[in-house]
Each structure stands twice: as structure tokens, then as C-alpha cells.
């Protein structure tokens, strides 16, 4: 993200801003609270109409505001009101006006070329000290066509943005977080038949069907990924609409080997936590340097404590005393580092020491509970398999009782699978989200950033009485006046 200034002659600023709005890749700074009143003619007319347009737009040329009011063109009045707000936020020096803002580094050149035709310029600036730039994730969905993200990245970004805005200095976790989510979902929703149904639903969303779900269309790659993961897990379990025998068991049968499935789930969780700690170290380093990374419980200190406890767990598993000694020593180093970092955040003294001790105890317990929490991957996978087995047993029991039994068996099979699909899809989706947010994201992020909000409005080309052939007077109507004149 690059700090920029929009600089133009006063009489060319409107056209430059119209082109900025059409490009939709610059976030323009506005006058903050306590600034001068920038309500202009368009905003006043819009207020008189007592209407707000849900889809503001701008006209390429300065319009006749009276004609817009008579015609009830609230969308253009709303767009002009936004334009007036930005014109009023400009600083002027003689015949030149300027506004500051943010623009993605990759879009600076194209945006500068766009406004150069209007007589304006986009000037790169140094970022202000102590101010973090706004965050634009790689797959973020914005109104501007300039950010037409790849469909896969675009479908995974809401998983992160729902949790919060990633700080600008941190890693973009959208793609790995999406992959981890669909893997965990697949383990809990492991049935090849149900997974293929999800893939079919994803294809329907891609085609814009049903129309009521058109807003969900960008999520189709995410749904397809979850369906594919469930299909692969179902193939590993030998599940196809339950234990129908259609597929061979490639790995294990959940109901026959629950402990093996449980161990695999906890092992996967341990690996994911280690990766989360690694990402947390990078984030703490980028946020506050090596000191912040060293002492943070989500940084090197926390990772060292986690490693020590993992080695101690190796002693419990293998029974070799050397693991206990080495693990305890590593965990002690992690506790000391974390304790130093936590103590510096307290008021000091005995009270600070007690607070630090409680926080360290919580950190140890939290690590253990977080690892064990991944056992739900196996638990809900077993639940799905059990529901499938119940439906299949009922189906086979009825199928051998003549034509009526066959019809009843078909009804049980279809109804049972529909209920199992709906219930387990909801449960697996919620549980995967819970593991992602509480166990993993809590180690990646310690703060929250500010989302990048580019100013984007569609531009209309007006003809007839609505268009105004006279030079725009908006700058004089909403200009900052002598009190806002500064060196641009």
C-alpha cells in the first residue's frame, strides 16, 4: 500500500476525482470530526428530497443540480454529495488543490496515467510515522473491477475477514486458512456421496442457481473445495451415502478403529498449532521487531513452551525419561521468556508477579486444551459415520420385505441421508470454523488492522437538460476557504 497525494489545478480537480472514483482504487482522506462543514449544494438538495440512493453514481460532466432535483435523480445527487465532501477536504495553495490517500502499490502507475488526461497527478508520498496503512488482502472483493480477484482467493477471503481485519504488517493467511478449513471439514464430513452433493451444489452456485442464492455465487470455489475434501475423506473411510460397500476402505473404518482416527486428529491438530506458532513469530517480528517476537506468548516464547510440552508428551507416549528431562528444560525456557514479556505489561510489584503467574498457568493449560480440542475432528467424523450406518441398516432391514418394503427402504434411505447431510454439514462447518478461529487465529493475530476502503462510483455520461455546460461551481460552494489553505 502506498501513501499518495492527488494534485490538480483547482478547475481540473473535479474531473480528476471523477476518474479516481471510476477507477475505484484510491482511498481518499476526508476531513475528520471538528473540521469545517462541507455540506454542498448536492447534499442540500438530497436532504430536501428526503431520500438516499442505494446506488450513488457520478456524471462525467458537472450536472445541473436543479434538473437532477426536479427529475428525482437521487443516485446522481448522492454521488455529487460524496464528490463535494472530497472537494471540501482538499487543501489549496493558489491555483493548485491536493488530497491525500492510499493506493495499492501495483495500481499507482495506472491510476496516475488515468488522471493525467484530466490535468491531475498522483504523487507518491512517504507514509506518516505511527500510522499503519489500510489492509487489502490478496483476494479481497471490492466494487472496483481493478480488483477482480481470482475466484479461489476471493471465495476464501471472507473466512479471514469474518474474524477481523488483518494488521497491515501481518502475513495474508487467506489461502492457507481456507485449505486448513476444508481439510478439517472433510475429515468431519467424510462421505463420498455427500461430498459429491456439495460439489454439485457448488456448480449450481457457479451457474447462478437458484437465483435467490446469487449473492453466494463468489463462494462456489470454497464450497467445491469442502465437497472435494469430504469426497476424499469418504473414499478413505469407505463411505458412500453410508457404509454401502460401494467403495473399498482405503485407510480406516471410523466405527471400527475410533482410537486410530482420534490419534490422527490430535496429531493433525498438533501440526497445525506448530504452523500457527511459526506464522505468529513472523507476525510479531513484522509488527514490533525481534524483541516483540521473542517474548510474546504467540511468538518465540509461546512456541518454545509448546515445543517443550510436546517433547514431554513424547515421554508419556514412548516412556523414555530423556524426553521428560529435555522437554521440561525447553518448556522452562519458554516459561521464562513468556513470563518476562507478560510481566512488562503489568504494573509491576507483587501484584504484577501474581498476574504473570496466572497468565503463565493459563498459557500452559490453553496449549493442552487446544491440542485436545482437535479430537472433535474424530468425534464428529464418528458421528457422521454412525448416522450413515443407522440409515443404511434401516434401509437394508426394510428392503427384503417385498415391494412395500422396497418403497419404505427407499424412503428411509433418501430421508435419512437428507437429514444427515443437512445436520452434519452444519455441525462440521461450525466446528471447523471454531477450530480455525480459537485454536489457530488466536496465535496468528494480536491486534486488528483497518480495512482498505477505496472510493468507487460508476460514472454516467449525461446528455440533454440535466447536463450543465457551465464550469462547475462546486469548488466555490464547498471549498475550504482561507482557514484550510495550506501548502499542498
Amino acid at each position: 500500500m502506498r501513501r499518495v497525494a492527488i494534485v490538480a489545478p483547482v478547475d481540473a480537480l473535479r474531473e480528476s476525482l471523477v476518474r479516481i472514483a471510476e477507477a475505484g482504487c484510491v482511498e481518499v482522506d476526508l476531513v475528520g470530526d471538528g473540521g469545517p462543514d462541507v455540506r454542498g449544494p448536492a447534499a442540500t438538495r438530497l436532504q430536501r428530497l428526503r431520500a438516499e440512493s442505494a446506488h450513488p453514481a457520478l456524471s462525467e460532466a458537472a450536472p445541473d443540480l436543479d434538473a437532477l432535483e426536479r427529475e428525482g435523480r437521487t443516485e446522481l445527487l448522492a454521488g455529487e454529495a460524496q464528490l463535494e465532501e472530497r472537494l471540501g477536504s482538499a487543501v489549496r495553495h493558489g491555483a493548485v488543490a491536493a488530497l491525500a490517500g492510499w493506493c495499492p502499490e501495483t495500481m499507482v502507475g495506472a491510476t496516475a496515467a488515468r488522471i493525467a488526461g484530466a490535468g491531475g497527478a498522483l504523487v507518491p508520498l512517504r507514509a506518516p510515522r505511527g500510522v499503519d496503512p489500510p489492509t487489502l488482502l490478496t483476494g479481497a472483493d471490492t466494487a472496483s473491477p481493478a480488483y477482480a480477484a481470482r475466484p479461489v482467493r476471493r471465495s476464501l477471503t471472507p473466512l479471514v475477514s469474518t474474524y477481523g481485519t488483518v494488521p497491515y504488517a501481518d502475513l495474508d493467511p487467506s489461502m492457507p486458512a481456507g485449505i486448513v478449513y476444508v481439510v478439517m471439514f472433510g475429515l468431519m464430513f467424510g462421505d463420498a456421496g455427500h461430498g459429491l452433493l456439495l460439489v454439485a451444489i457448488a456448480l449450481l452456485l457457479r451457474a447462478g442457481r437458484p437465483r435467490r442464492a446469487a449473492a453466494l455465487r463468489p463462494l462456489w470455489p470454497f464450497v467445491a473445495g469442502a465437497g472435494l475434501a469430504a469426497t476424499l475423506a469418504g473414499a478413505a473411510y469407505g463411505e458412500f451415502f453410508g457404509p454401502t460397500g460401494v467403495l473399498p476402505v482405503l485407510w480406516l473404518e471410523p466405527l471400527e478403529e475410533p482410537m486410530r482416527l482420534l490419534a490422527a486428529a490430535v496429531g493433525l491438530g498438533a501440526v497445525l498449532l506448530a504452523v500457527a506458532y511459526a506464522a505468529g513469530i513472523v507476525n510479531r517480528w513484522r509488527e514490533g521487531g525481534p524483541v516483540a517476537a521473542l517474548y510474546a506468548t504467540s511468538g518465540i516464547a509461546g512456541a518454545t513452551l509448546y515445543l517443550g510440552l510436546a517433547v514431554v508428551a513424547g515421554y508419556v507416549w514412548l516412556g523414555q525419561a530423556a524426553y521428560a528431562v529435555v522437554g521440561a528444560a525447553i518448556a522452562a525456557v519458554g516459561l521464562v521468556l513468556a513470563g518476562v514479556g507478560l510481566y512488562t505489561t503489568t504494573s509491576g510489584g507483587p501484584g504484577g508477579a501474581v498476574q504473570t503467574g496466572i497468565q503463565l498457568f493459563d498459557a500452559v493449560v490453553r496449549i493442552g486444551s487446544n491440542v485436545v480440542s482437535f479430537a472433535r475432528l474424530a468425534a464428529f467424523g464418528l458421528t457422521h459415520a454412525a448416522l450413515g450406518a443407522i440409515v443404511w441398516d434401516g434401509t437394508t432391514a426394510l428392503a427384503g420385505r417385498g415391494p412395500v418394503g422396497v418403497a419404505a427402504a427407499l424412503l428411509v434411505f433418501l430421508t435419512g441421508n437428507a437429514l444427515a447431510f443437512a445436520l452434519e454439514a452444519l455441525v462440521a462447518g461450525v466446528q471447523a470454523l471454531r477450530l480455525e478461529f480459537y485454536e489457530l487465529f488466536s496465535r496468528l493475530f494480536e491486534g486488528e488492522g483497518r480495512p482498505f476502503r477505496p472510493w468507487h462510483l460508476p460514472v454516467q455520461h449525461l446528455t440533454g437538460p440535466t447536463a450543465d455546460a457551465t464550469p462547475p461551481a462546486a469548488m466555490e460552494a464547498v471549498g475550504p476557504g482561507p482557514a484550510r489553505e495550506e501548502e499542498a
Side-chain angles (χ1 to χ4, degrees):
M1 195 64 64
R2 191 64 186 265
R3 185 68 169 172
V4 294
I6 304 165
V7 183
V10 172
D11 58 0
L13 183 58
R14 184 193 190 279
E15 185 178 353
S16 298
L17 286 177
V18 168
R19 297 191 179 197
I20 288 288
E22 189 173 24
C25 55
V26 177
E27 179 182 292
V28 181
D29 291 352
L30 301 177
V31 174
D33 293 339
D37 184 7
V38 294
R39 183 176 297 279
T44 302
R45 286 168 170 79
L46 189 64
Q47 186 178 35
R48 278 204 301 261
L49 291 175
R50 297 181 180 180
E52 293 185 5
S53 174
H55 303 285
L58 282 173
S59 61
E60 184 179 26
D64 182 340
L65 299 181
D66 292 328
L68 292 180
E69 184 178 11
R70 287 193 303 270
E71 297 171 9
R73 300 293 300 275
T74 57
E75 80 284 1
L76 290 177
L77 285 174
E80 289 295 321
Q82 290 188 24
L83 179 63
E84 289 171 351
E85 189 177 14
R86 283 149 183 83
L87 291 172
S89 298
V91 294
R92 289 195 256 174
H93 181 70
V96 180
L99 296 99
W102 297 96
C103 181
E105 187 80 36
T106 56
M107 300 301 299
V108 171
T111 307
R114 175 184 285 268
I115 68 173
L122 194 70
V123 183
L125 303 174
R126 290 183 179 180
R129 288 185 179 182
V131 177
D132 290 331
T135 300
L136 175 65
L137 296 178
T138 305
D141 181 23
T142 71
S144 171
Y147 298 109
R150 294 177 180 178
V152 174
R153 287 188 176 275
R154 182 181 178 186
S155 69
L156 299 180
T157 301
L159 184 64
V160 179
S161 58
T162 300
Y163 182 83
T165 302
V166 178
Y168 182 76
D170 288 6
L171 299 171
D172 181 356
S174 302
M175 183 63 75
I179 294 173
V180 169
Y181 182 92
V182 299
V183 168
M184 293 191 298
F185 178 90
L187 289 175
M188 291 184 283
F189 197 69
D191 187 290
H194 293 171
L196 291 175
L197 283 179
L198 268 183
V199 173
I201 291 173
L203 295 178
L204 286 175
L205 290 176
R206 185 176 184 270
R209 304 291 182 182
R211 292 184 178 180
R212 293 182 179 180
L216 300 178
R217 184 184 180 190
L219 299 179
W220 78 264
F222 182 65
V223 178
L228 180 60
T231 302
L232 294 176
Y237 299 157
E239 297 276 331
F240 186 83
F241 294 110
T244 56
V246 173
L247 297 177
V249 178
L250 299 181
W251 179 37
L252 59 81
E253 293 184 62
L255 297 178
E256 297 296 327
E257 300 180 83
M259 295 307 298
R260 186 179 171 192
L261 181 61
L262 178 64
V266 173
L268 174 63
V271 172
L272 292 178
L273 286 174
V275 174
Y277 271 117
I281 292 172
V282 174
N283 286 344
R284 299 299 85 75
W285 193 294
R286 295 173 68 165
E287 291 168 358
V291 175
L294 179 62
Y295 294 108
T297 55
S298 59
I300 296 175
T304 304
L305 176 59
Y306 176 73
L307 176 61
L309 294 178
V311 175
V312 171
Y315 159 71
V316 176
W317 185 265
L318 301 174
Q320 297 184 13
Y323 284 97
V325 175
V326 174
I330 296 174
V333 172
L335 283 172
V336 171
L337 291 175
V340 172
L342 291 171
Y343 185 76
T344 58
T345 64
T346 68
S347 58
V354 172
Q355 180 180 342
T356 300
I358 294 173
Q359 289 176 316
L360 288 176
F361 177 77
D362 176 72
V364 174
V365 172
R366 184 165 167 250
I367 288 175
S369 63
N370 288 162
V371 174
V372 174
S373 184
F374 282 91
R376 69 188 65 225
L377 296 176
F380 289 103
L382 287 169
T383 302
H384 196 171
L387 287 175
I390 291 172
V391 173
W392 182 243
D393 288 344
T395 300
T396 54
L398 293 170
R401 299 184 180 182
V404 176
V406 171
L410 182 61
L411 179 62
V412 167
F413 183 79
L414 294 177
T415 305
N417 273 283
L419 291 174
F421 177 89
L423 178 63
E424 288 300 306
L426 176 62
V427 170
V430 171
Q431 292 302 324
L433 193 66
R434 185 231 179 261
L435 288 171
E436 191 102 70
F437 283 1
Y438 289 96
E439 271 65 41
L440 302 180
F441 282 4
S442 61
R443 287 167 171 79
L444 264 63
F445 311 124
E446 285 196 345
E448 189 169 357
R450 181 176 67 82
F452 176 63
R453 302 187 186 280
W455 183 44
H456 173 66
L457 293 177
V459 176
Q460 299 181 9
H461 304 278
L462 298 182
T463 58
T466 302
D468 187 359
T470 60
M475 281 297 293
E476 287 73 15
V478 299
R484 283 279 296 160
E485 290 196 8
E486 303 174 17
E487 289 193 7

